[in-house]
PDB file of all heavy atoms in Angstrom:
ATOM      1  N   GLU F 320     -26.837-201.734 -68.699  1.00 98.00           N
ATOM      2  CA  GLU F 320     -27.901-202.573 -68.073  1.00 98.00           C
ATOM      3  C   GLU F 320     -28.035-203.989 -68.748  1.00 98.00           C
ATOM      4  O   GLU F 320     -28.119-204.158 -69.922  1.00 98.00           O
ATOM      5  CB  GLU F 320     -29.262-201.837 -68.299  1.00 98.00           C
ATOM      6  CG  GLU F 320     -30.549-202.672 -67.803  1.00 98.00           C
ATOM      7  CD  GLU F 320     -31.873-202.005 -68.133  1.00 98.00           C
ATOM      8  OE1 GLU F 320     -31.742-201.026 -68.982  1.00 98.00           O
ATOM      9  OE2 GLU F 320     -32.943-202.423 -67.677  1.00 98.00           O
ATOM     10  N   ASP F 354     -31.827-204.004 -63.140  1.00 98.00           N
ATOM     11  CA  ASP F 354     -33.242-203.987 -63.407  1.00 98.00           C
ATOM     12  C   ASP F 354     -33.757-205.265 -62.731  1.00 98.00           C
ATOM     13  O   ASP F 354     -33.203-206.428 -63.074  1.00 98.00           O
ATOM     14  CB  ASP F 354     -33.498-203.962 -64.890  1.00 98.00           C
ATOM     15  CG  ASP F 354     -35.032-204.032 -65.274  1.00 98.00           C
ATOM     16  OD1 ASP F 354     -35.789-204.691 -64.647  1.00 98.00           O
ATOM     17  OD2 ASP F 354     -35.417-203.124 -66.085  1.00 98.00           O
ATOM     18  N   HIS F 357     -34.573-208.486 -64.702  1.00 98.00           N
ATOM     19  CA  HIS F 357     -33.645-209.021 -65.542  1.00 98.00           C
ATOM     20  C   HIS F 357     -32.769-210.104 -65.080  1.00 98.00           C
ATOM     21  O   HIS F 357     -31.565-210.328 -65.526  1.00 98.00           O
ATOM     22  CB  HIS F 357     -32.650-207.904 -66.080  1.00 98.00           C
ATOM     23  CG  HIS F 357     -33.322-206.979 -67.044  1.00 98.00           C
ATOM     24  ND1 HIS F 357     -32.670-206.072 -67.640  1.00 98.00           N
ATOM     25  CD2 HIS F 357     -34.674-206.835 -67.338  1.00 98.00           C
ATOM     26  CE1 HIS F 357     -33.639-205.300 -68.452  1.00 98.00           C
ATOM     27  NE2 HIS F 357     -34.829-205.891 -68.150  1.00 98.00           N
ATOM     28  N   HIS F 381     -33.462-199.964 -62.123  1.00 98.00           N
ATOM     29  CA  HIS F 381     -34.775-199.885 -62.835  1.00 98.00           C
ATOM     30  C   HIS F 381     -35.732-200.761 -61.954  1.00 98.00           C
ATOM     31  O   HIS F 381     -35.473-202.005 -61.806  1.00 98.00           O
ATOM     32  CB  HIS F 381     -34.714-200.642 -64.133  1.00 98.00           C
ATOM     33  CG  HIS F 381     -34.317-199.621 -65.306  1.00 98.00           C
ATOM     34  ND1 HIS F 381     -34.288-199.893 -66.627  1.00 98.00           N
ATOM     35  CD2 HIS F 381     -34.031-198.182 -65.155  1.00 98.00           C
ATOM     36  CE1 HIS F 381     -33.845-198.798 -67.223  1.00 98.00           C
ATOM     37  NE2 HIS F 381     -33.733-197.893 -66.474  1.00 98.00           N
ATOM     38  N   ASP F 421     -39.171-198.584 -64.378  1.00 98.00           N
ATOM     39  CA  ASP F 421     -39.140-199.091 -65.703  1.00 98.00           C
ATOM     40  C   ASP F 421     -40.270-200.161 -65.853  1.00 98.00           C
ATOM     41  O   ASP F 421     -40.072-201.371 -65.646  1.00 98.00           O
ATOM     42  CB  ASP F 421     -37.788-199.785 -65.966  1.00 98.00           C
ATOM     43  CG  ASP F 421     -37.785-200.278 -67.481  1.00 98.00           C
ATOM     44  OD1 ASP F 421     -38.697-199.844 -68.230  1.00 98.00           O
ATOM     45  OD2 ASP F 421     -36.847-201.009 -67.826  1.00 98.00           O
TER      46      ASP F 421
HETATM   47 ZN1   ZN X1872     -34.818-201.717 -67.536  1.00 81.65          ZN
END
Side-chain angles (χ1 to χ4, degrees):
E320 178 183 8
D354 180 312
H357 288 191
H381 271 181
D421 181 15

